[in-house]
Amino acid sequence: MISQLFILSSKGDRLVYRNFRGDGGDDVTDAFYRAVTSLPGDRAPVFMAREGRHFVHVRHGGLYVGVTTTADTSPFVLVEFLNRLVTLLREHCGTLSEKSVSVNVALVHELLGEMVDFGYIQTTATEVLRSATHGEPETTKAFSLLDLRSVGLFGAETQQSKVAPGSITNRPVLPPRGEQPARSELFVDVVERLTVVIAANGTPLKVDVQGEIRLKSFVPGGCELRMGLTEELSVGTEEQRGYGRLPLAAVAFHSSVDLEEFEQERVLRVTPGPGEVTLMRYQLAEDVPVPLPFRLLPSVEWDPAGRLRIHLKLRCDLPPKQGDPTLCPPSPPSSHAINVVLQLPLPREASSLAQELSSPEQTAELQGGGRCLRWAIPRCQGGAQLGAVFRVQLPPTPPLGLGPAALTFELPALTVSGLRLRCLRLSAPPGAPPAPPQRWVRHLTHSDSYVVRL
Amino acid sequence: MTDSKYFTTTKKGEIFELKAELNSDKKEKKKEAVKKVIASMTVGKDVSALFPDVVNCMQTDNLELKKLVYLYLMNYAKSQPDMAIMAVNTFVKDCEDPNPLIRALAVRTMGCIRVDKITEYLCEPLRKCLKDEDPYVRKTAAVCVAKLHDINAQLVEDQGFLDTLKDLISDSNPMVVANAVAALSEIAESHPSSNLLDLNPQSINKLLTALNECTEWGQIFILDCLANYMPKDDREAQSICERVTPRLSHANSAVVLSAVKVLMKFMEMLSKDLDYYGTLLKKLAPPLVTLLSAEPELQYVALRNINLIVQKRPEILKHEMKVFFVKYNDPIYVKLEKLDIMIRLASQANIAQVLAELKEYATEVDVDFVRKAVRAIGRCAIKVEQSAERCVSTLLDLIQTKVNYVVQEAIVVIKDIFRKYPNKYESVIATLCENLDSLDEPEARAAMIWIVGEYAERIDNADELLESFLEGFHDESTQVQLQLLTAIVKLFLKKPTETQELVQQVLSLATQDSDNPDLRDRGYIYWRLLSTDPVAAKEVVLAEKPLISEETDLIEPTLLDELICYIGTLASVYHKPPSAFVEGSRGVVHKSLPPRTGSSESAESPEAAPSAGQAAEQPAVIPAQGDLLGDLLNLDLGPPVSGPPLAASSVQMGAVDLLGGGLDSLMGGSGFTAPGPAAPAAMGAPLGSGLGDLFDLTGGVGTLSGSYVAPKTVWLPAMKAKGLEISGTFSRQVGSISMDLVLTNKALQVMSDFAIQFNRNSFGLAPAAPLQVHAPLAPNQSVEISLPLNTVGSVMKMDPLNNLQVAVKNNIDVFYFSTLYPLHILFVEDGKMERQMFLATWKDIPNENEAQFQIKDCSLNADAVSSKLQGSNIFTIAKRNVEGQDMLYQSLKLTNGIWVLAELRIQPSNPSFTLSLKCRAPEVSQYVYQAYDAILKN
């Protein structure tokens, strides 16, 4: 049960506060802010017991969205609820920021009134809330530079993505009452996260691909969406799934997805209301070889005076040409990785760094007080091989091994599993506006944890 | 309307301005004004002065405006109760509105206004709304009952709302069902004894049907409610599991975890032979693994829960080791939790993989994580014997790196490895000694000193090493000082000739120059031991130490079982039962897992019972930390150390072992065995078993015969029952309760067709079999029958608590009588509490729950008392002698899981004993006392 709910600005100002159960004073937000700011560094635990209360919070857009609760409540319920709340606030206020929340405070209260009663969560479904609320959202202009974070995919927490018009997703999904929506649009993102551990000898120890298909719809409800997935898909344990090229170990669907045609045709049918949903989450079976995007070939020379010479060769194993015109939309002609960053922990605090990089747009620096080497490559074409030499001065004791190297990157327009959307059809309900909605399909892989041991 | 004009500071004129706007005729302006008021209220400004003006806006047909006004009312009604009354009429009117949204809004808001006068007016509208035709109104009304109950519980009972609420469980709308369940669960919590949520197979069936249809949040309410249900047999448990399993693939992780909780609990009832049990185990793994792909916050919660689950049922995730491998970008709290689970899953099959990972982690950047990784290597060595050698060599490699904190951690764990595998790896001591100078943390210093003292005879310059520590004796932490004192005494006992000076120096430092009482006391004890009887000193100080247990960091089994019931609540994140961190008025109901009803339970599968098996093989394995007895006898326990229990446990406990091990062997030799049911409890606490067995010895064979049985008394005189006389008593033998009856026919006709039934009673006593009288009972004939009872019947609190109403039928008529049963028939065989638990629980139970009684005219001595009581499942946990009085600390557990802790004070010269009882349900104390009294006097 939720006792109190609050949204605080990054400075601790109270933007929204509801006391659902009439217990406790109104000073909880101060207590919370004191507690959360007194924590060391980034290690804010999700759950804090302070001054006789249990706090649960999440941070989004610089805001603290939190609740206080009694002990017998499921923490999952609370975190899930808070995440939903954040999504809903985004849907209703466009973006989630101090400004958008404070301008829409009446609407937020109205939503909360429907979502939670006496601390019991009632609903978080956009459509239900739509029918029970009456407030109109006030939009705020996205402020230009500071808001770069929210540009790009709404789903993945990536720094940026230039594959689709991002900023248009930052508006309330619900058009003002009585008006035609400005543009009816539909976004489908297939986002995969890649977790890889490669042993020192180059063999992959662990390859884990998790993906999800997310849908954000600005289309008024009522039209049915048919979404065809790669046909080679197969689901289940090894015995069950047969010989598909794309075996998934586990799949979970949103409850609104109609799976009637999934077994035979690999088609998901869904009738989306306006709003954002995760239609499908999946996990690639672990025993399947996935072409790994990067390979790292290091060589390290060490002399007793503490000079370390590290020669790194980074090979991007993405196919240089990847064109398959039968796909809809056709995949881009070539593949590449962007925002590649390699981080290499050093055994001791390094005092100096000299580098030779293969192109001027790359950068290298020491971080964490000299404990970590950071090599950034803004863009890397499929099939390319990049080399770099680093000379590092360390204190003269034998090093306790180097690494492991961690890579972060994004692969736009590519899913490592090979799962793609074959087609996306909208069947309009009778009496729908003549203009078919604009459809955007985006594929993306980003590295969750890509570790190469040395 | 874009700018933050709601948020200008309160100037003097602002309230005035708002007032004017609120009273404007234009609707739009009014609405904007109320919005401004709400905005000010939200940021914490006092706008209560506008109360009348805002309330005036209440009568409107604009729903948005109405909601805002209601919001304002909820906030300020409490501070202005008189003004709030002004709103009552509108509320009551709104409850009749044709628009269901308005009806629901009105009843919802009224429930939130905690003003008595408003509450009075709420009853009628609420009654109507509970039966409203619109489900939206009904679901709101259901929650409103809980609100009202929170304000005025008596009113809710008097008005009969609870019955209406119960009816809503069968509502056609699943959302109404879910809210009714949530409301009832909450209300039931404050009435633990009431039968509000009287779940039976029919209502469970309804809930399971609603489960498939309601919203995700509603599913959680229903699942959490199901988790409190106790299925009557394994078949019912299985059918519930089958219907809950589909929830495991839900996208909402909260639903998944609530489903896991239900399954984990009901699995307890399923026989492990069943195919279904295996299927279910397999189904549990994927959703748990999937939880780990959530956000770090959720991952953390998931890991804390998984940590409990793998301790209870390691087989679920034994093949999923890889998912717990640490990702470099995991937050530190996730990393540490994953490490912990990796160790728990480590086995001979995967140890190579785990060690390779751990070695990688030990070279990472984050200091805390590296430390924990090094410790983990040590734990692997202790847990998987085959890996010990590789672990030790890995640790040595790490020591070679000379990274300060790595070296220190490695030394701490190597000390533990020495304690687990004595005389195996001592060759590494030389390497350790090389790093003496770099140790600056107390724990590492203490560990190193322990090693030097323990192996003084193999270290040539042990005296020099210890002497070097002695120089800064007063600057050391207590932990190091204590360790140093003991180590030097050990050294002296091993090499008395060279070290006399050293030992005198440390003894005088400890006894004369120190302010620390622990240190001083230990110093004096050693001093006297050495000066009076060096041989005894040697026996005490150099006694063979018990091996440390690999499972020192496991959660204690009873606590674990309780925590399993709290999967998915905050308790599972803290790993503490709610009673340990919930403050407040609400009584905490202890939850327990259901007993297994299937067959083959006595033979637990091997992987599920590693700790018990381990303990049985090695009777000298000690539990982790000091306990009651330890406090009394152990000279060497340092002050509480904040580090992990492994380190604290490794201070030697020779004295304790003297008692425990010695008696164990004594017991083994004499061929005595503990009474069957008590054995598992004793195994769990091997140290305790020594003491327990001591009592068995003195108690003699009497203890084997089961608990005390009172003589039969006449329950139903013949006069009242048309010639049928019933006399009887209750007994408990090896875990089963029976009612021993004598039926006598004093009539002139033959009696037949006997049957018996119990009314609902406090502990759910019910006949486990029908009353069987084989032949018709001829006149003047008697028959003796032993009727087995169980405690799974329905429960209703009786007054007195142990009252049992019985109906007996025969071919003539039905007869009723009531009798009081002695409470000790409900004392279960596993009522022996771990010492630590006992201490913690004793402290934990508030003093107002303590009850004191006098047991008069009892001439038994302490040992006889405790053996007598043990026969009736009252277990003595410790005994101490304080100023000539014997104090016995005892525990017992009732069939419904209530623990009762007792302190029995016996003065040798005084035949009156003082009995203090502490229990979370203090109403049982009086009856427990009666049981004590009866047992001791017979």
Side-chain angles (χ1 to χ4, degrees), chain B residues 71-92:
Chain B
L71 185 64
Y72 179 90
L73 272 172
M74 278 192 258
N75 212 23
Y76 283 115
K78 203 161 186 193
S79 57
Q80 313 229 355
D82 297 333
M83 302 278 258
I85 299 300
M86 293 172 18
V88 160
N89 278 333
T90 318
F91 274 130
V92 175

Side-chain angles (χ1 to χ4, degrees), chain B residues 356-367:
Chain B
E357 280 291 312
L358 292 177
K359 200 174 173 185
E360 287 291 335
Y361 302 161
T363 62
E364 286 213 8
V365 184
D366 189 290
V367 176

Side-chain angles (χ1 to χ4, degrees), chain A residues 291-340:
Chain A
L292 292 177
F294 284 101
R295 208 157 266 280
L296 183 71
L297 309 163
S299 72
V300 180
E301 283 165 35
W302 160 258
D303 79 62
R307 272 190 300 275
L308 196 61
R309 185 177 173 278
I310 307 167
H311 183 196
L312 297 179
K313 245 189 265 173
L314 187 68
R315 206 171 74 207
C316 181
D317 283 346
L318 295 171
K321 288 267 180 251
Q322 189 205 38
D324 188 349
T326 59
L327 293 174
C328 164
S331 58
S334 76
S335 51
H336 60 276
I338 56 171
N339 299 329
V340 184

Side-chain angles (χ1 to χ4, degrees), chain B residues 153-202:
Chain B
Q154 197 56 45
L155 186 68
V156 171
E157 275 172 50
D158 296 347
Q159 296 278 336
F161 284 140
L162 294 181
D163 293 325
T164 324
L165 199 54
K166 275 192 222 169
D167 295 342
L168 287 184
I169 290 193
S170 322
D171 198 282
S172 57
N173 182 298
M175 200 53 221
V176 179
V177 177
N179 272 1
V181 166
L184 278 175
S185 306
E186 184 179 342
I187 295 172
E189 237 171 73
S190 51
H191 295 281
S193 55
S194 75
N195 227 8
L196 264 184
L197 261 174
D198 183 20
L199 296 176
N200 50 50
Q202 289 79 39

Side-chain angles (χ1 to χ4, degrees), chain A residues 244-307:
Chain A
R245 263 201 309 155
L246 204 134
L248 303 182
V251 185
F253 297 99
H254 189 266
S255 52
S256 68
V257 179
D258 178 356
L259 296 173
E260 205 176 290
E261 292 176 64
F262 184 73
E263 267 317 304
Q264 294 300 319
E265 309 274 325
R266 300 299 177 211
V267 168
L268 306 180
R269 283 205 325 220
V270 61
T271 309
E276 191 181 323
V277 279
T278 301
L279 292 179
M280 172 174 162
R281 278 203 178 99
Y282 58 91
Q283 182 145 20
L284 202 63
E286 217 180 303
D287 48 340
V288 185
V290 172
L292 292 177
F294 284 101
R295 208 157 266 280
L296 183 71
L297 309 163
S299 72
V300 180
E301 283 165 35
W302 160 258
D303 79 62
R307 272 190 300 275

